[in-house]
Amino acid sequence: MTTDIADTDRVDETGDAESGLRAGQRRVKQRDRTTKTRDDILLVAREEFAANGLSGARVDAIAERTRTSKRMIYYHFSSKEGLYLAVLEHAYADIRKVEAELRLADGDPVDAMRRLIGFTFDYDEANPDFIRLVTIENIHRASHMRQSSSLGRLNTSIIDTIAAILRRGQETGVFRREVDPIDLHMLISSFCFFRISNRHTFGHIFGRDLGEATMRGRHRVLLQDAVIALLRDPHAAGTAREGA
């Protein structure tokens, strides 16, 4: 009789374990579905906001393209503005994530700087919707960015990376002048950004196709060479001021 009770207990324990396992698997699947739904919404919303701006973007269109509902979108993001902010955060997180994968912390500082510049150039070229999103947020004077608790921290990584490359170059005598990392980031970003944001107006005025492969390659090397020359020449900034 005791054996029968023990066997019954083992069966109950096995059944409970299997039931718990199935419940856990269901939770994982549900979490995966929720994550996929959220990611799909962010992807489509990025395209919608980049194409039409915050005011022109339609949540109905996003819901239709993701085969979900406005109610589901608002469940995940609270509001249209909340979705827009999430898109901005996701966009910046993406570029910072790919930058981190370059592993520029060690090695030759000149090569590291060239690789960073090349990456920024190529990323902006391949992601014009990112440029449009940043332009749109500038129209709003970064009012939505200011509501984010993560964007400030998220973007310190690129400044830390540039600072580390500069410091390594100065320590080895390759870079002989001090440059503020944020200033250098602005210099690199502005050229890459301008090529995309002003491509059509600049191209029309000066008769240049900034998307043409040969010109694109020339501009990529031009920016790399210009930045390295600036970092290596301690008199570059002074000369520029004297000639102004």
Side-chain angles (χ1 to χ4, degrees), residues 13-239:
E13 290 173 0
T14 301
D16 290 344
E18 291 176 350
S19 177
L21 178 61
R22 287 194 295 270
Q25 290 172 338
R26 285 195 296 271
R27 285 194 295 271
V28 170
K29 288 180 180 179
Q30 178 60 40
R31 186 167 61 247
D32 289 345
R33 282 195 296 269
T34 299
T35 300
K36 185 179 185 307
T37 298
R38 195 175 190 278
D39 289 346
D40 288 345
I41 292 171
L42 284 172
L43 179 62
V44 172
R46 174 170 172 156
E47 296 173 357
E48 179 72 13
F49 285 124
N52 302 300
L54 175 57
S55 59
R58 295 176 55 248
V59 177
D60 284 330
I62 297 169
E64 182 178 354
R65 289 182 58 192
T66 54
R67 297 184 178 181
T68 182
S69 64
K70 289 176 66 174
R71 182 178 179 181
M72 179 63 71
I73 291 173
Y74 291 142
Y75 169 79
H76 284 289
F77 302 101
S78 300
S79 64
K80 181 181 179 181
E81 288 73 17
L83 174 58
Y84 170 74
L85 178 56
V87 166
L88 281 176
E89 291 174 337
H90 192 267
Y92 274 98
D94 180 68
I95 187 172
R96 300 288 91 96
K97 176 178 179 292
V98 183
E99 277 171 351
E101 293 171 355
L102 296 176
R103 302 186 183 281
L104 300 173
D106 302 311
D108 177 68
V110 173
D111 177 66
M113 188 62 70
R114 282 188 173 276
R115 288 174 59 206
L116 178 61
I117 295 167
F119 164 77
T120 305
F121 187 98
D122 294 341
Y123 187 93
D124 286 3
E125 178 72 31
N127 295 275
D129 55 344
F130 175 68
I131 304 301
R132 288 193 291 269
L133 283 172
V134 175
T135 301
I136 290 165
E137 183 58 9
N138 271 286
I139 292 172
H140 292 279
R141 301 187 178 186
S143 60
H144 302 90
M145 275 189 168
R146 291 191 180 95
Q147 301 172 33
S148 173
S149 60
S150 64
L151 277 172
R153 296 192 307 272
L154 184 66
N155 287 288
T156 59
S157 61
I158 180 59
I159 304 305
D160 292 341
T161 297
I162 292 175
I165 297 172
L166 290 174
R167 185 166 53 250
R168 196 162 67 250
Q170 291 160 4
E171 290 171 352
T172 58
V174 178
F175 299 153
R176 298 192 299 272
R177 67 186 300 268
E178 293 184 0
V179 176
D180 182 83
I182 295 179
D183 288 347
L184 187 58
H185 176 56
M186 182 172 66
L187 174 64
I188 296 168
S189 295
S190 61
F191 185 90
C192 299
F193 193 99
F194 181 92
R195 288 188 64 262
I196 308 303
S197 65
N198 291 47
R199 171 169 292 178
H200 301 293
T201 52
F202 190 90
H204 175 73
I205 292 170
F206 296 104
R208 294 286 181 91
D209 179 4
L210 299 187
E212 192 270 324
T214 301
M215 184 169 294
R216 186 169 66 244
R218 187 168 76 245
H219 285 171
R220 191 178 192 271
V221 174
L222 172 68
L223 179 59
Q224 290 172 321
D225 289 349
V227 170
I228 297 302
L230 174 68
L231 294 176
R232 280 179 163 166
D233 183 2
H235 305 297
T239 302

Side-chain angles (χ1 to χ4, degrees), residues 5-21:
I5 293 173
D7 290 343
T8 301
D9 288 343
R10 281 195 292 272
V11 170
D12 290 343
E13 290 173 0
T14 301
D16 290 344
E18 291 176 350
S19 177
L21 178 61

